[in-house]
Amino acid sequence: MISPHPVRLAVEDDLKRSRLTVFFRLLLAIPHYVWALLWSILMFFVTIVNWVVTLIAGRLPGGLHNLTAAYVRYLTQLFAYLSLAANPYPMFTGTDRYPIDLEIESPAPQRRLITLFRFPLAIPALVFEAVFLASYAGGSYSSGEGEHGYAGATTSSIGIVWTLAFFAWFACLALGRMPMGFRNLQAYGLRFGAQAWAYFLLLTDRYPNLDPADPPSTGPLHPVGLAVADDLRRSRLTVFFRLLLTLPHLIWLLLWGIAASLASILGWFAALVLGRLPTPLHRFLSAYLRYTTHVGAFVLLTANPFPGFTGTPGRYPLDPELPEPERQNRLVTLFRLFLAIPAFAVSSSLFTLALVAGFFGWFVALALGRMPRSFREAQAYALRYYVQTSAYFWLLTSRYPYSGPSLGQPEPETEPELAPAPAELAV
Amino acid sequence: MAAYLLWPTDVPDDLKLPSVDENHLFDAALLDETEDFERFLRWNDIASNLVLLAVLALFAWRGWRFARESAAGRIGTGMLLGMIGLALVWIAQLPFAMADIWWQKRHDIVTAGYLEWALENWLVLGAEFLFICLWLLITMALAAPLRDRWWLAAAPVFAALALLLAFLTPYLVPDQHDPDPSLAADGKRIAHQTGLDDVELKVQEIGDLTEAPNAFAAGLGPSRRVVLWDTLLEPPFDRDEVRVVIAHEYGHHESQHIWKGLAWYALISLPLLFVVARVARRWGGLYQPRAVPVALLTLVAASLLLQPFDNLITRRMEMEADWVALETTKDPGAARELFEEFADTALQDPDPPEWAHLWFDTHPSIVDRIAEATAWENLRHP
């Protein structure tokens, strides 16, 4: 039995958002930027002290623990506010009582060997943290080879939490509330970020947990799901050559993808006219979606076996569950491409998470012959969202993808914004 | 019958090659160096091939167990087994490949870095994976309706694919450009003399990877072209020698060597595939994925056994192309100098041991090529 992580996220947010503060959110936070910068400079030195003290004493003293815990809590609250995961203006002290808050356990003994190598060990965790919370955009341009020469490059990176925040900004302004799926995914990212900082800053020696369902949470039912029947065992040989083994599938994907693109255009016109996707096209596109998911799971190490080329249901450990053809609203069908844009953006962000998990998972699977469960769960979550997005885009379902980490619980009968008590979610 | 038609060349059957003593042409230090250089590569190659066979034998014995790593159907599982077989071979041969590249770098033949080489090596493995997948897709698909007679249908399919590949090859060669005007003029003159005005001359930039000189003829019909490596356009090679090389490559096109090579391939592949089918039959035939490992072993072993015969055919073609070059340039002196410089620049052993020559060499030895130039001179200008 694994004990709960000593750094946990508690969510007591009612999803309501003030349109005015949402509109000016980035500007309202200016005092916090200054304060966060000053506190971060202080924490640079505190972290060095933490490291030395923990190495010697085998645990972090109460005072240093409280200061570091307050900093991690403050950052989490600030990021929740900036990303619209929470509504109230946060305090500057990192004290609790915020709708998205941390529960941090008291100081506990830490293993000295892990403390000694803490900073290199934290690198994978910080890379994952960047996938959730990074925000960087930059570029460089220079001219060369005479007056006609020109060279340019831009780079940008935006974490999952900020991608969601971008679309949530419009949703909150329009609806006055935060979509639950968005908030829950942001809470997952904030929880992982807090655990990564806590590990790096020597608050705990427990490694951050990437599992999106730790602890288990609630979510609505969705007609599109992903059945996972993988035993985590991986064949080292096929892991080592995984990318090359995928080559024939990539060629087949390309060829099938051309046909699927044409079929989806045809299906769009048919659905506009008939009000539903014709069964043969539904079957064809479902098979293609299943196939892309199988290949994705194989190449990302989310599953072990070499997938088949036909997208047959029930033949792969990670298998999409797709609905039968159904009637669809013609107006929604007409604008389906535009409506799917936010879902594609979120899916793309989650794919980065799955990719990074695949990258680090490659080394782990080679060494242990197993994929870490938390990596597999995070990837399965990303793949499930991809399946829901694609199914929505290809008109296999009219239901919008749900971005939260958990599915399966019945939806509340009342609208969340009308609920008298705050929705509680442990992430 | 087909072999009888393909066998003759333009080199006179009664041509007597004069005896050439390598010790009169090359200094002892160079001969020692070339012998030493090639000896290492030869034994490394032999060891690599023995390991290859051992690994494939092991894979044939136990490899079918990897089928449990597949959720694909019959053909998909066969593809996975084929790729895993090649992957194991790649791992086993990696030390030998590294030794090969280390040796060539040590002798300044290869200039590419290890990282560059590793990346290329990895990409080559990817291409091999695709090739084996295509091979198994065809054979296993044909095995469904034809069972053990799949080889009868597979041989023409593979021949057609080889034809397509031969046609496309010139377009797949990277870093090609047009030659400078003076070289282009030489190329046009030789093309006209050989009756191949529509065959282009190109230069490939390869000097960043190797110092070895080389050129090749590629393509069929409208895709035909002659490609010179830029390493040939640097000293010690002078323009007369480069003209001999160009004429040699145009000689390949004039003598229809690519077509003949394809015909030989079609001719050999039929019995080769038959042998594979017969051996695979004991494991349920190529309809079954479990027969793939043993089919792979048979294919590789039979190809290795056929290597001396393949080399014999290519050596005859090279001899014929040399003859055409001599007839075109009428410059046996330049040809002799060119071949002598190959010993210095590519460290080719001028007169390798007979067994090594039969087993490894796709070209005539340097002394044979010099002898051929002298024989041409004696014949035309007695």
Side-chain angles (χ1 to χ4, degrees):
Chain A
M1 184 72 180
I2 300 170
S3 60
H5 198 285
V7 176
R8 297 179 294 276
L9 196 78
V11 179
E12 292 187 16
D13 167 55
D14 60 3
L15 299 173
K16 285 185 194 168
R17 298 293 180 266
S18 147
R19 289 185 173 88
L20 187 69
T21 67
V22 165
F23 189 80
F24 292 107
R25 183 73 47 121
L26 290 177
L27 295 178
L28 289 171
I30 285 174
H32 278 290
Y33 303 149
V34 177
W35 180 235
L37 178 68
L38 292 174
W39 201 346
S40 297
I41 292 168
L42 173 68
M43 287 310 295
F44 173 78
F45 298 103
V46 170
T47 304
I48 296 168
V49 174
N50 281 356
W51 186 67
V52 174
V53 170
T54 311
L55 258 184
I56 295 166
R59 65 191 298 147
L60 201 58
L64 285 171
H65 180 273
N66 291 342
L67 176 64
T68 310
Y71 175 70
V72 172
R73 187 177 284 120
Y74 171 67
L75 277 190
T76 305
Q77 293 173 359
L78 176 60
F79 278 33
Y81 179 70
L82 286 172
S83 65
L84 307 173
N87 194 46
Y89 199 69
M91 286 183 284
F92 288 80
T93 50
T95 47
D96 50 15
R97 298 190 306 276
Y98 195 71
I100 288 192
D101 210 347
L102 288 180
E103 292 170 356
I104 300 175
E105 290 181 1
S106 309
Q110 299 193 34
R111 288 158 290 182
R112 285 187 174 83
L113 192 65
I114 289 182
T115 303
L116 183 65
F117 296 107
R118 180 65 55 93
F119 301 122
L121 285 171
I123 289 172
L126 294 176
V127 173
F128 280 117
E129 184 267 348
V131 170
F132 284 112
L133 293 165
S135 57
Y136 167 78
S140 64
Y141 292 89
S142 63
S143 62
E145 294 184 23
E147 56 188 291
H148 302 298
Y150 175 82
T154 57
T155 55
S156 64
S157 168
I158 183 163
I160 294 169
V161 168
W162 308 119
T163 305
L164 290 162
F166 175 78
F167 292 107
W169 189 81
F170 295 98
C172 290
L173 282 182
L175 306 173
R177 64 185 287 271
M178 180 74 166
M180 189 167 69
F182 277 20
R183 197 277 316 272
N184 289 355
L185 173 49
Q186 286 181 320
Y188 167 43
L190 289 167
R191 188 263 290 165
F192 184 87
Q195 290 180 350
W197 299 328
Y199 183 77
F200 182 76
L201 300 173
L202 297 121
L203 209 50
T204 173
D205 65 353
R206 179 82 171 267
Y207 212 75
N209 187 356
L210 197 62
D211 190 345
D214 181 49
S217 58
T218 58
L221 287 173
H222 197 284
V224 178
L226 186 74
V228 180
D230 166 60
D231 61 0
L232 299 175
R233 186 190 66 82
R234 299 291 178 268
S235 146
R236 289 183 176 89
L237 187 70
T238 65
V239 165
F240 187 78
F241 290 103
R242 190 60 60 112
L243 277 179
L244 292 182
L245 290 171
T246 315
L247 282 177
H249 281 294
L250 295 182
I251 290 175
W252 183 230
L253 264 180
L254 182 72
L255 297 174
W256 196 349
I258 293 168
S261 303
L262 296 174
S264 66
I265 294 168
L266 193 65
W268 184 71
F269 282 111
L272 274 180
V273 175
L274 304 173
R276 67 199 295 276
L277 190 65
T279 304
L281 284 174
H282 186 278
R283 202 183 306 125
F284 180 76
L285 289 170
S286 295
Y288 178 67
L289 178 54
R290 263 193 297 272
Y291 177 60
T292 58
T293 311
H294 295 166
V295 174
F298 179 69
V299 75
L300 292 169
L301 304 171
T302 319
N304 188 49
F306 188 71
F309 287 78
T310 53
T312 311
R315 290 271 295 271
Y316 204 69
L318 262 82
D319 205 30
E321 295 164 331
L322 299 169
E324 293 298 312
E326 59 190 9
R327 290 209 66 78
Q328 302 201 29
N329 184 313
R330 287 184 174 85
L331 192 65
V332 174
T333 301
L334 182 66
F335 294 106
R336 186 66 59 102
L337 175 65
F338 302 103
L339 291 170
I341 288 173
F344 275 125
V346 175
S347 184
S348 160
S349 294
L350 282 172
F351 180 75
T352 308
L353 175 67
L355 202 64
V356 173
F359 174 77
F360 288 116
W362 188 82
F363 295 98
V364 179
L366 266 187
L368 305 178
R370 291 176 63 78
M371 188 71 169
R373 178 179 296 279
S374 60
F375 284 21
R376 197 275 311 276
E377 293 300 325
Q379 290 181 318
Y381 166 38
L383 282 170
R384 188 195 72 209
Y385 191 77
Y386 158 77
V387 172
Q388 289 181 349
T389 304
S390 303
Y392 178 73
F393 179 66
W394 287 334
L395 306 160
L396 300 175
T397 179
S398 57
R399 182 73 177 275
Y400 204 78
Y402 176 70
S403 51
S406 297
L407 285 179
Q409 297 299 315
E411 286 181 283
E413 289 179 6
T414 52
E415 286 296 312
E417 64 209 38
L418 301 175
E424 184 163 340
L425 172 73
V427 179
Chain B
M1 177 65 183
Y4 178 78
L5 291 171
L6 289 169
W7 189 253
T9 68
D10 284 347
V11 182
D13 288 337
D14 56 349
L15 186 72
K16 291 276 184 287
L17 294 184
S19 169
V20 174
D21 185 354
E22 58 177 338
N23 295 304
H24 290 153
L25 296 172
F26 305 99
D27 65 57
L30 180 62
L31 287 176
D32 283 348
E33 191 183 2
T34 57
E35 199 178 323
D36 187 44
F37 177 74
E38 288 216 336
R39 188 188 306 118
F40 179 89
L41 292 182
R42 251 178 244 135
W43 285 108
N44 188 55
D45 198 39
I46 289 169
S48 170
N49 281 332
L50 289 175
V51 167
L52 164 73
L53 289 174
V55 167
L56 284 177
L58 264 176
F59 186 62
W61 180 37
R62 309 284 279 187
W64 59 271
R65 291 171 178 220
F66 282 103
R68 70 180 174 197
E69 309 295 347
S70 173
R74 186 176 63 83
I75 297 178
T77 304
M79 285 181 179
L80 177 69
L81 290 175
M83 289 190 286
I84 286 178
L86 289 187
L88 290 170
V89 164
W90 182 83
I91 291 172
Q93 289 193 307
L94 197 60
F96 301 101
M98 283 184 73
D100 192 292
I101 198 80
W102 164 77
W103 188 249
Q104 295 201 55
K105 278 178 77 68
R106 190 183 147 102
H107 288 84
D108 298 325
I109 300 297
V110 168
T111 49
Y114 285 104
L115 194 66
E116 235 172 331
W117 169 81
L119 180 67
E120 194 186 326
N121 195 263
W122 189 254
L123 293 176
V124 167
L125 181 66
E128 287 175 0
F129 274 18
L130 286 179
F131 170 79
I132 196 71
C133 283
L134 183 65
W135 195 90
L136 287 164
L137 174 67
I138 292 167
T139 53
M140 294 184 79
L142 289 172
L146 301 174
R147 295 291 163 165
D148 290 335
R149 281 189 285 279
W150 59 264
W151 56 277
L152 280 169
V157 174
F158 288 134
L161 285 175
L163 196 72
L164 179 67
L165 186 64
F167 180 81
L168 293 176
T169 298
Y171 306 117
L172 303 176
V173 177
D175 303 323
Q176 294 180 70
H177 62 77
D178 290 326
D180 65 56
S182 125
L183 187 63
D186 279 346
K188 278 191 193 312
R189 201 173 308 118
I190 291 167
H192 184 70
Q193 281 176 281
T194 49
L196 298 165
D197 292 297
D198 56 337
V199 177
E200 284 186 306
L201 175 68
K202 295 279 181 188
V203 174
Q204 185 185 8
E205 297 287 343
I206 200 129
D208 291 344
L209 301 174
T210 179
E211 295 286 333
N214 194 19
F216 56 92
L220 292 170
S223 78
R224 282 181 302 178
R225 68 180 56 165
V226 164
V227 181
L228 296 184
W229 282 10
D230 59 351
T231 47
L232 259 173
L233 305 178
E234 304 287 335
F237 302 105
D238 63 27
R239 184 46 65 86
D240 288 340
E241 292 163 24
V242 172
R243 273 194 282 270
V244 171
V245 174
I246 297 171
H248 170 96
E249 300 305 335
Y250 274 94
H252 280 305
H253 279 306
E254 194 206 14
S255 307
Q256 309 282 3
H257 283 164
I258 295 172
W259 282 108
K260 285 182 181 171
L262 287 167
W264 277 114
Y265 171 77
L267 202 61
I268 291 169
S269 67
L270 203 67
L272 184 68
L273 293 176
F274 169 73
V275 171
V276 172
R278 289 289 291 189
V279 175
R281 199 165 70 173
R282 300 183 64 167
W283 277 263
L286 256 183
Y287 180 78
Q288 301 288 350
R290 63 175 300 168
V292 168
V294 81
L296 201 61
L297 170 65
T298 312
L299 189 68
V300 171
S303 301
L304 281 175
L305 285 174
L306 282 170
Q307 193 171 303
F309 182 65
D310 284 345
N311 290 342
L312 177 67
I313 293 167
T314 56
R315 281 200 302 270
R316 283 180 66 80
M317 289 179 178
E318 295 298 336
M319 205 82 176
E320 185 176 29
D322 279 347
W323 190 261
V324 175
L326 289 163
E327 294 278 32
T328 308
T329 59
K330 304 190 184 342
D331 192 353
R336 278 192 293 263
E337 280 169 26
L338 172 74
F339 300 140
E340 283 173 28
E341 274 153 11
F342 281 163
D344 196 27
T345 54
L347 292 182
Q348 283 181 20
D349 188 351
D351 194 11
E354 194 58 28
W355 68 269
H357 184 57
L358 290 174
W359 195 268
F360 293 104
D361 290 349
T362 56
H363 286 60
S365 68
I366 288 176
V367 292
D368 282 349
R369 299 179 89 169
I370 291 171
E372 188 186 8
T374 307
W376 180 88
E377 192 172 28
N378 294 341
L379 190 72
R380 296 289 184 251
H381 307 287

